[in-house]
Amino acid sequence: MRTSQKFMIAVMLMMVIALTTVSSSISLLAQQTNPVVNNFSFKLDEGSLDLTLDEEKYEDGEDTGKRTSEGNTYRISPGDTIEKDPTVTIAKGSAESYVFLYVDSELTDKFTINYNSDSWKEVANDSNGQSLYIYHTTVDASESEQKLTSLFDTIDVSKDITEQEISDFGSSKTLTVQAYAIGVISEDGDVSLATAIEEAAKNFKFNNYDTNVSLD
């Protein structure tokens, strides 16, 4: 086996939407899809949230110029740079919200995900390749659609990956991204940043998370 051989990763996108509802404490309405993005909208007194999560669509390694919410499958070689841009769009008329992206990566340390850290702030991670990011500002799409900065744009594959590491890699690995949003207002008043982070982290089963981050 030569280290120049092709191997494959499958990248899937998912989406979750949540809104605060009437309660003395924060309560969330949420719906989670299978590994395919579907769009959901919850109508509440405070407004609605309508999100999509997609990325550039590739076929046979070529950018088609289209977008996909179903993810891509890549056949890659050591030293490759994979172009991908998971992007959240908030539909016009949606309530102001905190927006999160959850990443579940099976990729090894031979892959470097180049996060847009100026736009997305990490609030949780664990040793199993799972991490959670919050957008650097709340998003208000009440007057117009808001397309957010992508979570990342490229993934670098180390040129130093060995034959044994390729063998251990197996037939494929997955990288899953999910979007999650929480409205900033409920009928009980404002939902604090710390509360939103706590609720999002608990939704994705993180035991440890950082509520001390600040937004722009």
Side-chain angles (χ1 to χ4, degrees), residues 80-100:
D80 280 356
T81 293
I82 306 164
E83 295 185 0
K84 62 183 300 83
D85 61 342
T87 301
V88 178
T89 300
I90 315 295
K92 178 181 178 180
S94 295
E96 184 177 6
S97 61
Y98 303 101
V99 181
F100 297 85

Side-chain angles (χ1 to χ4, degrees), residues 5-12 72-76 82 104-108 111 161 165-176:
Q5 75 175 67
K6 295 285 186 180
F7 57 112
M8 183 172 67
I9 60 172
V11 183
M12 296 178 290
N72 288 287
T73 296
Y74 304 86
R75 297 193 67 84
I76 57 179
I82 306 164
D104 185 2
S105 174
E106 294 182 349
L107 303 180
T108 68
F111 293 79
I161 193 167
E165 287 169 328
I166 291 176
S167 177
D168 293 342
F169 191 86
S171 60
S172 69
K173 299 290 184 185
T174 60
L175 172 66
T176 303

Side-chain angles (χ1 to χ4, degrees), residues 100-165:
F100 297 85
L101 281 173
Y102 165 76
V103 176
D104 185 2
S105 174
E106 294 182 349
L107 303 180
T108 68
D109 60 4
K110 295 297 184 178
F111 293 79
T112 302
I113 302 175
N114 299 307
Y115 288 100
N116 290 320
S117 56
D118 288 340
S119 296
W120 293 93
K121 301 185 178 186
E122 187 179 75
V123 294
N125 65 73
D126 64 20
S127 59
N128 298 316
Q130 298 171 334
S131 51
L132 183 66
Y133 299 83
I134 187 171
Y135 199 58
H136 67 101
T137 183
T138 58
V139 181
D140 185 355
S142 58
E143 298 297 326
S144 62
E145 175 184 279
Q146 299 294 315
K147 185 175 183 178
L148 309 189
T149 303
S150 58
L151 178 61
F152 49 85
D153 296 305
T154 58
I155 301 173
D156 294 328
V157 186
S158 173
K159 61 181 177 57
D160 298 322
I161 193 167
T162 66
E163 293 180 7
Q164 184 60 53
E165 287 169 328

